Amino acid sequence: MAASSRALVLRLYRALLRESQRFSGYNYRTYAIRRIRDAFRENKNIKDSEKIEELLNKAKANLEVIHRQV
């Protein structure tokens, strides 16, 4: 993975965690944080650039959903 892609993924990861911290309900907040961490850990060894791009787009869409809900 190129350095710029790595930086983009880390920036997206931090943004997802930061935004999910804004949930007022404890259960929603902890569920979102757990799902984000698990998803990134599960997919950290993927090398296929098309799959990475697909996962990044999915994460960006999830960030927008979280942003609308909080």
Side-chain angles (χ1 to χ4, degrees):
M1 183 184 306
S4 62
S5 297
R6 179 176 168 80
L8 177 66
V9 169
L10 290 175
R11 192 175 315 126
L12 184 58
Y13 177 70
R14 288 186 196 115
L16 282 163
L17 288 177
R18 190 177 320 112
E19 198 66 31
S20 63
Q21 288 289 340
R22 295 178 58 204
F23 276 116
S24 60
Y26 173 79
N27 289 333
Y28 290 116
R29 186 172 51 247
T30 56
Y31 176 76
I33 291 169
R34 186 177 67 241
R35 291 285 295 150
I36 291 165
R37 287 181 179 156
D38 289 346
F40 274 82
R41 282 185 192 133
E42 177 183 322
N43 297 316
K44 74 178 181 179
N45 294 324
I46 295 179
K47 302 294 183 200
D48 183 23
S49 61
E50 292 178 10
K51 181 69 174 170
I52 292 171
E53 189 67 31
E54 178 185 325
L55 291 169
L56 282 174
N57 290 334
K58 184 177 176 183
K60 288 176 186 177
N62 285 335
L63 178 61
E64 292 299 318
V65 168
I66 292 172
H67 186 71
R68 283 193 307 265
Q69 289 180 350
V70 295

